[in-house]
Amino acid sequence: MKQRDAAIVGIHEYQSRDVEGKVSALQIKAESAARALEDAGLSWSDVDAIYDAGDGGGMNGLTIAEYFGLKPTVIDTTNVGGSSYEFHAAHAKRDIASGKANAALLTYGSTAHSNARAIGVGGAGGAGRHPADNMDVFSGMTLVANYAMVAHRHMHDYGTTSEQLAEISIATRCHAMRNPDAVRAMEDLEFLDIRETTIDDVTNSRMIADPLHLLECCMISDGGGAVVIASPEVAKNCRKTPVWVLGSGEATKYPQAGGDITASAGAYSGAQAFGEAGITPAEIDIAMIYDSFSITVMVLLEDLGFCKKGEGGAWVEGGRLRFDRPSDGPALNTDGGGLSSNHPGMRGIFLLIEAARQLRGESCSQVPDAKLAVAHGNGGMLGSRHAAGTIIMGRD
Amino acid sequence: MNEPTRPLPRANELDTQEFWAATKNKELRYQQCDGCNTVVFYPRRHCTGCTSGNLTWKLSKGFGTVYTFSVVRQSYHPFFRGKVPYAVAWIELEEGPRILSNVIDVDDPLVDVQISMKVELVWEEHEEINIPLFKPVD
């Protein structure tokens, strides 16, 4: 491990996944920020850099600074969907290393559930302003169908099965059942029959868009969170053990003639991040990988280098991704993931938060002596245009 | 009450308006750079392969293969909810571009649509423009 530029020193995941329309996204952001600062032993006045996906509308960087009551010298409103928070962590590390910031605050809040947004199956609602949208709008491709097309091609090219994809769903559900906040989330969102699941449960659940079943699709919740990233000097005096940001990578991918839909931008962002951190995937204890759908994790395990392209199906078999199988490789999404704990639309911040919990020894599904974690966000749509942000984290 | 209709593109969107205008004549067009031969799709005003490019509109013959697809079983969209199950597919045209569309004219999309199957263009007619869909090659 080479880099000691910046550390995660404060984290908070907003507890409720169903605010019943009584709390705004901005309020979720502010409360999460305050709790994360308390977790670090810092206050608003310590923050000199803010990172927010700008989902609050025009001039969001300015208005959210005012809302928090801050006068930051760094404002970053990069929005690349669910991977925004990995991009923010990468930028915060860079801004701190360059001396432009000492304490960076990353925030996220959403009321997607309360707003009754049918994110996955809403389907082309109308022609957008972007020319790409204007070409796709007539097809009726739902978000689920976009990812399902990746799964179909993965099955076609590599013989991957629904049973293998289901391994991802059941490992995350296993972890969710150990996390009281995840169980409450599933109750509040009126999941049926909340319990650990089997491969048959997943493959017998209703098909949403072939070949993806209901239990391979993430929930739509309310929620949010905050992360504080600080310089080594600030981290030294913080309340909790620092979790170092050791490496980062950012990449994008678009549909292209002759392109391979089963390979994501994660292959590029992952290689950058592991290279910068000076470690290999085999050393990783915790894999926080954006589980919008089962196939997202399958593709990303391959692209991040845990196994070769096309071999993910066999690799995940037999419960390998569970937290109590540490000798087999990393534990996956130990908070319960987007599939079974928290997905308000852009889940990337929770990947950083749970990875930090594991490296502090605070997870509900704690991997003993976890030292190294990867957080990988996928933003946009895996089967067409998407962004990939990879963050490697480690403790002393 | 009017039947819900397929969501249509904006005919006056500045990058794609020539593509959609050509569909009035049932022509499926794509762009290629005179300078570096890069195929540009979706349509744009600039070449993505070089900075000097002049793009020329080319005519696709309308034949291709299903690169991948999904059969949508659930949609909340007023039009598509009544169409389930229907096949959404990335079609790889023989000329190179990959276009998102539907595979139609099959008895059962769950059985009759396959990756790598040959398909051909079929136009769904609308007032201002026509919509490029695909059906299995006979």
Side-chain angles (χ1 to χ4, degrees):
Chain A
M1 283 185 228
K2 302 171 206 164
Q3 304 281 337
R4 284 284 188 278
D5 293 336
I8 293 179
V9 294
I11 54 175
H12 183 77
E13 181 174 7
Y14 192 80
Q15 194 173 29
S16 176
R17 317 290 204 262
D18 179 10
V19 300
E20 299 174 330
K22 293 171 184 163
V23 183
S24 73
L26 264 180
Q27 290 170 329
I28 291 171
K29 289 180 183 182
E31 185 182 328
S32 299
R35 297 289 87 75
L37 286 166
E38 282 181 353
D39 182 53
L42 297 173
S43 188
W44 292 110
S45 58
D46 295 306
V47 176
D48 54 8
I50 61 170
Y51 304 77
D52 186 272
D55 40 342
M59 291 199 296
N60 183 80
L62 173 60
T63 56
I64 198 159
E66 182 187 8
Y67 187 76
F68 291 160
L70 296 173
K71 292 191 173 173
T73 51
V74 173
I75 295 177
D76 185 328
T77 53
T78 302
N79 188 328
V80 282
S83 59
S84 297
Y85 309 93
E86 282 65 43
F87 279 62
H88 294 169
H91 300 174
K93 176 183 191 285
R94 186 177 70 200
D95 296 339
I96 290 167
S98 73
K100 288 288 185 187
N102 293 295
L105 174 64
L106 284 57
T107 49
Y108 173 50
S110 161
T111 54
H113 170 72
S114 289
N115 301 348
R117 280 172 60 195
I119 294 173
V121 292
R129 279 174 297 178
H130 195 278
D133 297 336
N134 210 47
M135 297 299 291
D136 294 352
V137 64
F138 69 83
S139 70
M141 176 185 66
T142 59
L143 179 67
V144 188
N146 181 287
Y147 284 74
M149 286 197 280
V150 180
H152 237 163
R153 188 73 202 192
H154 203 279
M155 290 174 159
H156 176 268
D157 287 354
Y158 307 118
T160 312
T161 65
S162 286
E163 287 73 18
Q164 291 169 333
L165 285 166
E167 290 274 1
I168 288 151
S169 301
I170 67 174
T172 28
R173 178 61 69 84
C174 158
H175 299 152
M177 294 310 294
R178 303 172 53 82
N179 176 357
D181 288 348
V183 172
R184 190 180 136 194
M186 291 188 281
E187 289 168 355
D188 287 351
L189 299 177
E190 299 178 2
F191 274 41
L192 301 173
D193 198 16
I194 299 165
R195 57 175 170 78
E196 281 202 36
T197 46
T198 64
I199 287 171
D200 284 348
D201 290 330
V202 177
T203 57
N204 290 334
S205 66
R206 172 171 103 244
M207 195 71 88
I208 305 296
D210 292 74
L212 295 180
H213 304 81
L214 176 67
L215 294 183
E216 297 177 78
C217 304
C218 62
M219 64 170 69
I220 303 299
S221 60
D222 297 331
V227 170
V228 182
I229 301 179
S231 66
E233 294 71 33
V234 172
K236 201 162 50 185
N237 297 314
C238 283
R239 196 173 279 160
K240 296 281 180 70
T241 317
V243 171
W244 299 102
V245 180
L246 301 173
S248 69
E250 304 168 45
T252 52
K253 192 170 185 226
Y254 326 107
Q256 278 188 313
D260 178 2
I261 203 172
T262 71
S264 78
Y268 302 98
S269 64
Q272 287 173 44
F274 280 107
E276 184 181 358
I279 65 159
T280 65
E283 295 175 76
I284 291 286
D285 301 300
I286 307 298
M288 293 301 303
I289 298 179
Y290 201 120
D291 56 338
S292 43
F293 300 94
S294 56
I295 184 61
T296 323
V297 174
M298 181 74 75
V299 163
L300 286 167
L301 284 169
E302 295 170 346
D303 290 343
L304 292 173
F306 290 104
C307 58
K308 287 184 185 158
K309 178 52 64 187
E311 296 179 1
W315 199 79
V316 302
E317 281 180 344
R320 183 176 199 151
L321 302 169
R322 288 170 55 111
F323 81 107
D324 52 3
R325 295 275 299 274
S327 61
D328 286 345
L332 174 75
N333 298 345
T334 49
D335 58 344
L339 290 167
S340 290
S341 177
N342 204 354
H343 191 280
M346 300 199 293
R347 178 178 158 71
I349 203 162
F350 307 126
L351 308 173
L352 301 170
I353 290 172
E354 175 65 10
R357 283 196 202 107
Q358 281 282 356
L359 299 180
R360 289 171 167 191
E362 296 176 354
S363 175
C364 297
S365 295
Q366 184 63 44
V367 172
D369 200 32
K371 288 190 180 68
L372 288 166
V374 59
H376 182 91
N378 180 80
M381 296 201 205
L382 189 68
S384 46
R385 46 199 62 84
H386 64 261
T390 311
I391 298 292
I392 309 291
M393 295 151 66
R395 65 170 167 80
D396 284 317
Chain B
M1 201 174 107
N2 291 336
E3 283 287 303
T5 53
R6 182 186 285 277
L8 296 176
R10 294 165 196 240
N12 60 355
E13 194 285 315
L14 291 175
D15 275 302
T16 56
Q17 60 185 357
E18 288 179 68
F19 174 91
W20 291 113
T23 69
K24 289 178 191 170
N25 305 321
K26 299 191 174 177
E27 292 174 351
L28 183 63
R29 293 194 170 270
Y30 65 97
Q31 296 164 300
Q32 192 163 17
C33 178
D34 297 340
C36 71
N37 292 325
T38 297
V39 170
V40 176
F41 193 83
Y42 56 88
R44 266 155 277 193
R45 202 166 70 163
H46 66 281
C47 176
T48 55
C50 69
T51 53
S52 63
N54 284 316
L55 299 176
T56 297
W57 285 96
K58 307 266 181 170
L59 182 63
S60 168
K61 293 194 176 77
F63 290 95
T65 56
V66 174
Y67 174 68
T68 186
F69 73 101
S70 176
V71 179
V72 177
R73 310 285 193 100
Q74 181 175 339
S75 171
Y76 290 159
H77 187 276
F79 175 76
F80 288 108
R81 74 199 308 170
K83 296 293 175 187
V84 295
Y86 60 91
V88 174
W90 281 111
I91 306 297
E92 194 146 79
L93 296 171
E94 283 181 358
E95 296 86 1
R98 228 177 243 178
I99 182 172
L100 188 68
S101 184
N102 300 137
V103 180
I104 61 164
D105 287 353
V106 292
D107 290 338
D108 181 357
L110 297 169
V111 176
D112 300 330
V113 181
Q114 300 290 334
I115 288 175
S116 297
M117 74 188 278
K118 302 271 184 207
V119 290
E120 64 182 304
L121 181 61
V122 47
W123 292 99
E124 180 182 274
E125 295 182 0
H126 292 266
E127 277 177 29
E128 298 288 318
I129 57 168
N130 294 311
I131 292 292
L133 304 179
F134 290 82
K135 65 172 188 178
V137 173
D138 295 329

